[in-house]
Amino acid sequence: EAGVAQSPRYKIIEKRQSVAFWCNPISGHATLYWYQQILGQGPKLLIQFQNNGVVDDSQLPKDRFSAERLKGVDSTLKIQPAKLEDSAVYLCASSREDSPDYNEQFFGPGTRLTVL
Amino acid sequence: AQSVTQLDSHVSVSEGTPVLLRCNYSSSYSPSLFWYVQHPNKGLQLLLKYTSAATLVKGINGFEAEFKKSETSFHLTKPSAHMSDAAEYFCVVRGGSYIPTFGRGTSLIVHP
């Protein structure tokens, strides 16, 4: 079974520029998550999708961050414009959720963003 | 509302000695609880999970955790540390909203 795929793996941009990250979850996983992990901290949930609907986006800075999962499969996360404090690893995860026994998240390798 | 507190930011042990990483949680509903491990420059990997079945949960690499509802705890243990266990460990809670909350992490240092 293929894992969660993310691209790019690394990105360096200057502040005020735009950037987009892509995630392809494990096939058949209904729920997709985007996290921001700042160095030395635990992952912070930015947005959670169930199929193509949003379950929670309470911690997504909506003035600059946006995310979509139009066909209920892969997803993109965009930052426009980027700030220095957006430097972090952006993690994508997915889970089945068809029963309580299948609610663990599987994580991708992450995208390391550096904003200069 | 839910929250998770990892009581130690760093834990240092000698190889071959027991490991204890502490996690307390708060949840309005019967939660699912998880421990994940993150090795340097690697992705997050599930160690074990509790989802209302047996309170003592066994995971990969010799780790186990015990769910104690009365103490709202889910501590991670291993009888004998190995050098390869050195990593960051995260405790995660999911309550009735099904939204996961991560702890701040505990860095496990293993001395030879």
Side-chain angles (χ1 to χ4, degrees):
Chain A
E1 177 179 75
V4 177
Q6 289 188 248
S7 67
R9 292 295 310 278
Y10 304 92
K11 190 74 177 178
I12 301 174
I13 62 173
E14 296 191 349
K15 60 183 179 183
R16 293 187 290 273
Q17 286 187 322
S18 301
V19 64
F21 312 127
W22 174 82
C23 173
N24 191 19
I26 293 172
S27 177
H29 281 198
T31 305
L32 185 148
Y33 316 76
W34 282 104
Y35 289 88
Q36 180 192 59
Q37 186 176 22
I38 293 172
L39 187 65
Q41 299 182 18
K44 181 180 82 171
L45 181 67
L46 293 176
I47 189 166
Q48 178 175 338
F49 292 97
Q50 177 79 13
N51 297 308
N52 60 351
V54 176
V55 173
D56 183 81
D57 63 357
S58 58
Q59 299 192 94
L60 186 74
K62 297 180 186 64
D63 57 334
R64 298 185 300 108
F65 286 64
S66 64
E68 60 183 15
R69 192 185 186 200
L70 291 175
K71 297 181 180 178
V73 180
D74 57 353
S75 175
T76 56
L77 175 70
K78 297 179 181 177
I79 308 175
Q80 180 179 10
K83 294 184 175 181
L84 296 177
E85 59 261 35
D86 298 332
S87 293
V89 176
Y90 291 85
L91 297 166
C92 180
S94 68
S95 59
R96 281 177 55 171
E97 305 295 339
D98 48 357
S99 88
D101 290 333
Y102 296 105
N103 62 353
E104 67 266 36
Q105 299 170 82
F106 294 83
F107 284 83
T111 297
R112 184 177 298 276
L113 174 67
T114 302
V115 182
L116 303 176
Chain B
Q2 66 187 24
S3 64
V4 60
T5 303
Q6 292 185 242
L7 297 163
D8 306 292
S9 58
H10 297 85
V11 169
S12 181
V13 301
S14 297
E15 189 174 22
T17 64
V19 175
L20 170 64
L21 305 183
R22 299 183 294 166
C23 173
N24 286 113
Y25 71 91
S26 172
S27 176
S28 302
Y29 300 91
S30 295
S32 294
L33 293 156
F34 310 81
W35 276 99
Y36 284 86
V37 62
Q38 188 175 39
H39 290 275
N41 299 314
K42 295 289 180 72
L44 283 152
Q45 181 184 19
L46 179 69
L47 277 177
L48 49 80
K49 68 175 184 179
Y50 166 78
T51 54
S52 77
T55 57
L56 183 62
V57 181
K58 294 187 183 299
I60 62 171
N61 300 335
F63 285 94
E64 63 181 39
E66 186 172 6
F67 173 72
K68 292 186 176 180
K69 186 175 180 178
S70 61
E71 299 176 9
T72 61
S73 69
F74 191 58
H75 301 334
L76 182 70
T77 61
K78 183 174 181 178
S80 176
H82 192 273
M83 294 296 292
S84 61
D85 294 327
E88 193 80 13
Y89 291 79
F90 294 97
C91 183
V92 181
V93 62
R94 292 186 73 180
S97 65
Y98 304 109
I99 298 167
T101 300
F102 273 73
R104 293 179 61 85
T106 298
S107 179
L108 177 63
I109 302 161
V110 183
H111 299 286

